Amino acid sequence: MDVMRIGDKVLSKKKLYAIIDKTLNLRAEGLSQQEVANIMGLDRPFISRLEKLGEVRKGRKIGVVAFPIENKLELEQFLKKEGIDFMLLMTDEERWGFVKEKQGIELFNDVMEIIARLRSCDVIIVIGSNYRIKLCEALVDKEVIGIEIGKSPIEGNKLIDMQIIKNVFSTLNA
């Protein structure tokens, strides 16, 4: 039910959710808490408390690149719970489709966009071949954590040991 009564007040959950969404979107666009408070007609401490309530992780921006992986969905669900800032996860079929379905300039632009997004991260976790890990280290001037799943070229999907991934994140979050 969208409307609910609390004491002598009738509240709209839809209205509350819309205000919260707009508030957080303005913050994500880079506005300060005070600027958002002024725009939305709220108190700045309320915005701070709202952000604290929804906080999943604090700190550095993390990006993850992983291919070719068998348990993509399991890894994706874990990374979403961790609040990862950028992820590029592909099965073997998806990675070959990525390069075969694009023409030269489109492929080049897509790869450059991926590199730019990775460079915006503070830490990049690369799950792939020894060659791909070294290549990523050379392309980005960031901390790269490599998890090797085989020597290049890797053929077929590889099952990712989720305990290794969880250990990396518990170390990053410590």
Side-chain angles (χ1 to χ4, degrees):
M1 179 177 207
D2 178 46
V3 177
M4 63 189 310
R5 178 172 288 280
I6 299 177
D8 64 344
K9 297 175 223 129
V10 177
L11 305 177
S12 166
K13 287 195 239 177
K14 190 174 183 177
K15 181 178 177 183
L16 287 171
Y17 295 152
I19 291 168
I20 291 169
D21 280 345
K22 183 163 184 180
T23 300
L24 296 177
N25 285 333
L26 289 170
R27 285 289 290 138
E29 289 173 13
L31 275 67
S32 71
Q33 289 179 348
Q34 189 59 58
E35 289 169 325
V36 174
N38 293 343
I39 291 168
M40 298 298 295
L42 303 170
D43 296 326
R44 193 212 50 79
F46 172 76
I47 295 171
S48 177
R49 284 190 214 105
L50 186 63
E51 290 176 15
K52 188 70 177 163
L53 284 171
E55 188 176 291
V56 174
R57 175 176 59 77
K58 201 173 196 174
R60 304 180 292 178
K61 286 180 70 176
I62 300 175
V64 178
V65 176
F67 63 87
I69 55 174
E70 183 175 316
N71 50 336
K72 175 184 167 184
L73 184 61
E74 180 183 16
L75 179 59
E76 183 175 31
Q77 289 171 340
F78 173 78
L79 296 175
K80 282 181 180 177
K81 279 192 339 194
E82 289 293 320
I84 295 309
D85 300 284
F86 174 76
M87 69 175 95
L88 176 64
L89 314 176
M90 290 189 263
T91 64
D92 193 44
E93 183 180 337
E94 289 169 333
R95 77 170 170 158
W96 286 112
F98 179 79
V99 296
K100 289 180 179 176
E101 293 170 3
K102 299 176 190 298
Q103 305 233 352
I105 193 70
E106 181 187 11
L107 178 60
F108 180 76
N109 287 341
D110 286 354
V111 169
M112 294 303 288
E113 175 66 26
I114 291 167
I115 293 169
R117 295 205 46 204
L118 287 172
R119 290 180 61 83
S120 75
C121 296
D122 301 304
V123 177
I124 302 161
I125 300 168
V126 181
I127 304 167
S129 71
N130 57 330
Y131 177 73
R132 300 289 183 248
I133 294 167
K134 287 184 190 322
L135 190 60
C136 188
E137 289 170 337
L139 287 171
V140 297
D141 187 24
K142 306 291 178 176
E143 179 182 350
V144 174
I145 299 171
I147 301 172
E148 188 177 315
I149 57 173
K151 301 288 182 208
S152 189
I154 295 176
E155 294 182 23
N157 291 319
K158 298 295 179 188
L159 183 66
I160 305 302
D161 182 345
M162 290 304 296
Q163 191 56 52
I164 292 172
I165 306 303
K166 290 174 184 174
N167 290 345
V168 167
F169 276 91
S170 77
T171 301
L172 285 173
N173 293 331

